[in-house]
Amino acid sequence: MTDLPPYLRPFVLPVADTGEVRVERVGQVDLYHPAGTARTGAILLVHGGPMPPDLEVLPRDWPVFQGYATAAAQRGLVAAVVDHGLIRGYDQLVAAADDVEAAVGVLRADPRVDPGRVALWFFSGGGLLAGEWLDSRPDWLRCLLLTYPLLATPPGVDVLVDATEVIGKHKDLAVLLTRVGREREELAGPVEEFVSAGGTALDIIDVPKGQHGFDMLDHTEESRAAVTKALDWAIAHLGEDPTATSTSTLPIPTPTTEPAPRKTAPESRKPPRATTSAGATTSAGATTSAGVTTSAGATTSARATTAEGGRSSGAAGSSTPTSTPVPSVAPDLTAVVATAFSFDTPATRVIDREHSTYAAHDLEAFLALYSPTAQLQFADGAVLRGRRSLREYYRPLFDAGRCKTELQQRMMLGEWVVEQAVRHDTDQGPLPTIVLYRVQDGLIVEVRFLA
């Protein structure tokens, strides 16, 4: 173990893989789902940085964060780990803040998450990203945790929001600091200033013999007790029972679809309220309740479900799509309809989150589910490429609060998801449409509007 770099050493808690925790990768975020089907609170784990440029293993694959996330999921929470830009350098602080904001959107849009019960947990250099959340304190943020944090930017690095200046601003926000006794000098001073400023607004777990990174370097009873106490604290503040080992199997309630309130700073960072979309799976040659027969001889379910999701090809925007051929090949629709698939697939879960963020009018969380090089082709042949073009095109539609569609059918083939829906987000009134989504590695890489 001593031959391994510190970040690849085992987590201090014995987290056995029992097969009950399901891990899903969505873009830059890994989601850890507990057993059961109940909606639950959630924790986003935010790593530190920077790290050397030759780093081969990114933080979400480090044993320590896999361990924290697995332990939280085994206790009944949904946990998430995000890879963010700070790993590349302090000049990426703003980009890192955007990455964390987008990850919050992905987490809160997850159908297993109660979007009103979320905790943020910052480690080491990730502490530089905590200030804006202490300052703005969105209503869904139940608590915030800091473990051996860096709280003062190095010389020459621009400050986002200084956590020491805003700790205690919101008296109803619970904050936990895990402080190590053998902390590096350049980190220990700002931490003590933070403690002095926090007063009664701050809970503290002390690890007297612990060093920076104790949760992977110091395999002691003291370390294990500190990590366990922090997990207990987070679970308690998320409204869960700290002694619970699993969640119940209650149905997931119908989510709220009203727009999420804007955060005060920085601009355009506003995580969404979650909502789910539903649709019909196909069954080749099978007859279902609706009795809608396809051209391939298959019969599909046409159960209409109201959902706030989808997009408008006729929305006004500041960026006009250009008519450019799309090189990739769309799937044969006959083959799509004629093949039977499970409704719950990695691709459909990504599309469900996209619909949820659309319904919540949360542009940045919506865009976080798209590949940076994603392309959209509209029925008239016009094409949008990349998140920047998508942002410019969709911002007026999101700002106008017109993000609503009615999902009628859904069909799947591998990485493609095909939906029939009625759009209510155009000036033309209810508009039937067919949309093809292509999902790769947890992100949407291509969308085609056929009608």
Side-chain angles (χ1 to χ4, degrees):
M1 184 173 72
T2 56
D3 294 335
L4 292 172
Y7 58 86
L8 290 183
R9 295 180 189 176
F11 184 47
V12 297
L13 290 186
V15 182
D17 182 8
T18 61
E20 296 181 353
V21 176
R22 178 170 60 87
V23 184
E24 179 183 5
R25 180 154 290 186
V26 181
Q28 296 171 271
V29 182
D30 281 2
L31 295 162
Y32 289 68
H33 293 100
T37 60
R39 273 200 158 191
T40 184
I43 298 177
L44 177 64
L45 304 167
V46 183
H47 65 76
M51 291 292 286
D54 59 349
L55 182 70
E56 295 182 357
V57 181
L58 291 176
R60 59 179 164 173
D61 290 321
W62 294 358
V64 63
F65 294 117
Q66 292 176 332
Y68 271 107
T70 300
Q74 288 176 341
R75 301 282 296 278
L77 299 175
V78 174
V81 186
V82 56
D83 279 337
H84 58 78
L86 184 59
I87 202 73
R88 298 186 297 272
Y90 289 118
D91 60 339
Q92 298 295 309
L93 263 179
V94 173
D98 289 339
D99 292 339
V100 172
E101 183 80 25
V104 169
V106 170
L107 180 59
R108 295 185 67 235
D110 188 287
R112 290 289 311 278
V113 171
D114 178 347
R117 291 192 289 142
V118 177
L120 299 179
W121 196 336
F122 299 89
F123 296 79
S124 190
L128 296 177
L129 303 171
E132 66 171 286
W133 300 98
L134 291 169
D135 186 32
S136 60
R137 200 271 191 253
D139 57 3
W140 50 260
L141 182 58
R142 286 289 188 88
C143 58
L144 186 147
L145 300 88
L146 298 149
T147 294
Y148 46 81
L150 170 62
L151 295 174
T153 55
V157 177
D158 292 336
V159 178
L160 294 177
V161 178
D162 189 330
T164 301
E165 295 181 358
V166 294
I167 177 66
K169 176 179 178 180
H170 299 278
K171 303 300 183 184
D172 59 340
L173 176 61
V175 181
L176 175 68
L177 168 68
T178 298
R179 178 175 57 178
V180 293
R182 297 160 56 202
E183 184 59 278
R184 301 200 299 263
E185 183 178 353
E186 66 272 21
L187 276 68
V191 165
E192 292 311 307
E193 293 179 11
F194 182 74
V195 170
S196 297
T200 58
L202 188 63
D203 292 328
I204 300 175
I205 295 175
D206 276 314
V207 192
K209 298 179 182 178
Q211 61 184 309
H212 195 89
F214 75 94
D215 41 11
M216 49 188 157
L217 299 178
D218 303 328
H219 287 252
T220 65
E221 286 302 320
E222 181 184 67
S223 295
R224 286 186 280 273
V227 171
T228 301
K229 287 179 182 178
L231 282 167
D232 288 347
W233 185 95
I235 292 169
H237 283 85
L238 287 169
E240 302 291 327
D241 179 2
T243 63
T245 57
S246 65
T247 57
S248 64
T249 56
L250 298 175
I252 297 176
T254 302
T256 180
T257 58
E258 74 268 18
R262 290 180 178 270
K263 290 172 62 180
T264 55
E267 184 181 355
S268 79
R269 296 182 189 157
K270 49 181 193 311
R273 298 186 184 278
T275 177
T276 60
S277 62
T281 57
T282 65
S283 179
T287 302
T288 60
S289 58
V292 181
T293 304
T294 69
S295 59
T299 304
T300 67
S301 166
R303 175 175 55 85
T305 303
T306 300
E308 306 269 342
R311 32 297 15 358
S312 168
S313 60
S318 58
S319 174
T320 303
T322 58
S323 182
T324 309
V326 179
S328 59
V329 179
D332 179 75
L333 282 182
T334 301
V336 173
V337 174
T339 309
F341 289 92
S342 168
F343 172 73
D344 184 26
T345 69
T348 59
R349 288 194 289 271
V350 172
I351 302 306
D352 284 342
R353 291 191 185 95
E354 191 260 18
H355 292 350
S356 296
T357 57
Y358 188 76
H361 302 84
D362 193 305
L363 180 59
E364 296 307 315
F366 170 83
L367 294 173
L369 294 167
Y370 282 81
S371 164
T373 57
Q375 58 186 19
L376 277 69
Q377 182 177 12
F378 298 103
D380 61 1
V383 174
L384 293 175
R385 283 192 173 86
R387 285 178 183 164
R388 183 180 298 274
S389 294
L390 269 63
R391 180 181 288 105
E392 293 176 356
Y393 183 79
Y394 283 117
R395 188 183 298 279
L397 183 64
F398 276 69
D399 289 345
R402 297 171 58 187
C403 306
K404 180 179 180 180
T405 67
E406 180 184 354
L407 180 61
Q408 296 185 317
Q409 294 191 72
R410 170 177 283 175
M411 295 156 280
M412 286 77 70
L413 178 61
E415 62 189 21
W416 288 92
V417 177
V418 182
E419 293 185 344
Q420 177 183 346
V422 177
R423 291 209 318 265
H424 300 274
D425 51 9
T426 75
D427 295 328
Q428 305 170 41
L431 184 66
T433 187
I434 295 175
V435 188
L436 287 73
Y437 301 88
R438 187 180 181 190
V439 179
Q440 293 179 341
D441 298 325
L443 293 175
I444 301 168
V445 298
E446 185 176 350
V447 179
R448 294 193 175 201
F449 298 90
L450 301 188

